[in-house]
């Protein structure tokens, strides 16, 4: 029964199309209704306008197409797909930029260190500078410790001879202790920097001179 209906519909629409295109000023619309059936008419019923349509001239040529309106679900899916593509494009752009920076860094390294000797000379120079700084600070720490020791001895003498310790001696002892802690912290940081320098130059050596 359904096959018969479809056959009749096809014959009817075919006849209508034939009549329409033979009229000089005729306009024919082709659209698909809510049941998925293709129809031809000289106008599109309002309830079917959301399904999209094609406009056919008197020569049987499609002159205009109107896409069907998207459902809310389809709009959301398109928006999600747009966002996904933007995120993916940004990720690729970031990876490409990282790759270009890496290539540029390699070129700079090659220009900077043409051989292993140059690399090791700069490593030694950088470490020597840090060690010289540590030596100076360590001498200062030793000096602070010696002064603090003398202040403590002075405090002991005052307590024995006078029964009390002057406030300025307490204050000086505390100040020297703070300076010692500050400089010892700096020394620790300098030693960490030396370790970082060695690690960095080891990486340089691996990148430039070790066979892969």
């Amino acid at each position: 029964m359904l096959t018969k209906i479809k056959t009749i519909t096809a014959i009817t629409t075919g006849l209508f199309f034939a009549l329409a295109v033979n009229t000089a000023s005729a306009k024919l619309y082709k659209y698909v209704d809510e049941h998925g059936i293709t129809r031809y008419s000289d106008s599109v019923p309002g309830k079917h306008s959301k399904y999209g349509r094609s406009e056919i001239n008197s020569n049987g040529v499609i002159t205009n197409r109107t896409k069907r309106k998207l459902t809310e679900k389809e709009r959301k899916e398109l928006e999600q797909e747009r966002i996904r593509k933007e995120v993916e494009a940004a990720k690729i752009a970031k990876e490409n930029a990282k790759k270009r920076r890496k290539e540029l860094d390699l070129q700079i390294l090659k220009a900077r260190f043409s051989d292993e000797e140059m690399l090791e000379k700069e490593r030694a120079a950088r470490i020597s500078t840090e060690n010289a700084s540590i030596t100076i600070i360590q001498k200062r720490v030793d000096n602070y410790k010696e002064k603090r020791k003398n202040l403590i001895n002075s405090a002991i003498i005052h307590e024995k001879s006078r029964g009390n310790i002057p406030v300025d001696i307490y204050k000086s002892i505390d100040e020297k202790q703070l300076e010692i802690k500050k400089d010892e912290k700096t020394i620790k940081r300098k030693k960490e920097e030396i370790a970082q320098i060695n690690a960095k130059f080891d990486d340089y050596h691996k990148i430039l001179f070790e066979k892969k």
Side-chain angles (χ1 to χ4, degrees):
M1 183 66 179
L2 182 60
T3 304
K4 288 181 179 180
I5 292 171
K6 288 184 176 179
T7 302
I8 292 168
T9 301
I11 292 170
T12 303
T13 54
L15 289 171
F16 185 89
F17 177 76
L19 290 170
V21 297
N22 285 323
T23 304
S25 61
K27 269 189 182 179
L28 187 65
Y29 294 97
K30 176 185 175 183
Y31 64 94
V32 179
D33 67 14
E34 70 272 25
H35 302 297
I37 298 173
T38 300
R39 298 187 180 279
Y40 295 87
S41 174
D42 59 351
S43 64
V44 180
K47 66 178 182 179
H48 296 310
S49 60
K50 64 182 179 180
Y51 297 110
R53 63 184 180 272
S54 297
E55 186 178 315
I56 305 171
N57 65 15
S58 59
N59 296 318
V61 178
I62 294 175
T63 58
N64 188 31
R65 295 180 189 271
T66 303
K67 293 182 179 180
R68 68 177 179 83
K69 293 181 180 179
L70 298 177
T71 64
E72 184 64 24
K73 182 181 178 182
E74 288 173 329
R75 281 196 293 271
K76 286 182 179 179
E77 288 174 349
L78 282 175
E79 180 64 13
Q80 289 172 353
E81 180 64 12
R82 183 188 66 77
I83 293 171
R84 185 193 68 77
K85 287 181 178 179
E86 285 183 356
V87 171
E88 185 66 21
K91 182 180 177 182
I92 292 171
K94 186 176 180 180
E95 289 173 353
N96 288 338
K98 186 177 179 181
K99 185 179 179 181
R100 287 194 296 272
R101 283 197 300 270
K102 190 174 180 180
E103 291 172 350
L104 180 59
D105 288 344
L106 180 58
Q107 291 174 8
I108 292 171
L109 278 179
K110 286 179 177 180
R112 183 176 169 189
F113 306 115
S114 58
D115 54 45
E116 292 181 67
E117 185 180 356
M118 287 182 67
L119 185 143
E120 293 305 328
K121 278 184 178 180
E122 182 162 334
R123 183 207 296 258
R126 294 276 298 277
I127 291 174
S128 177
T129 299
E130 296 299 329
N131 279 329
S133 179
I134 289 172
T135 299
I136 292 169
I137 297 169
Q138 186 61 57
K139 286 181 179 179
R140 193 164 63 217
V141 169
D142 293 341
N143 185 44
Y144 286 145
K145 285 181 177 180
E146 183 65 27
K147 288 182 177 180
R148 183 174 181 276
K149 181 181 177 181
N150 292 336
L151 286 167
I152 290 172
N153 288 334
S154 179
I156 292 170
I157 291 170
H158 272 81
E159 187 176 22
K160 285 181 178 180
S161 63
R162 301 180 185 179
N164 58 45
I165 301 171
V167 174
D168 61 334
I169 292 180
Y170 274 124
K171 186 177 178 181
S172 295
I173 290 171
D174 288 340
E175 286 174 351
K176 293 296 178 287
Q177 185 60 32
L178 288 173
E179 293 294 340
I180 290 167
K181 285 183 177 180
K182 180 182 175 182
D183 280 349
E184 285 179 340
K185 188 176 180 180
T186 302
I187 289 171
K188 182 180 178 181
R189 179 171 54 79
K190 290 285 183 183
K191 288 180 178 179
E192 289 171 352
E193 287 174 1
I194 289 173
Q196 290 170 1
I197 290 169
N198 270 320
K200 183 184 288 186
F201 276 80
D202 285 344
D203 286 342
Y204 290 167
H205 189 279
K206 188 174 181 180
I207 291 168
L208 293 171
F209 306 115
E210 293 182 20
K211 292 182 179 179
K212 296 181 181 179

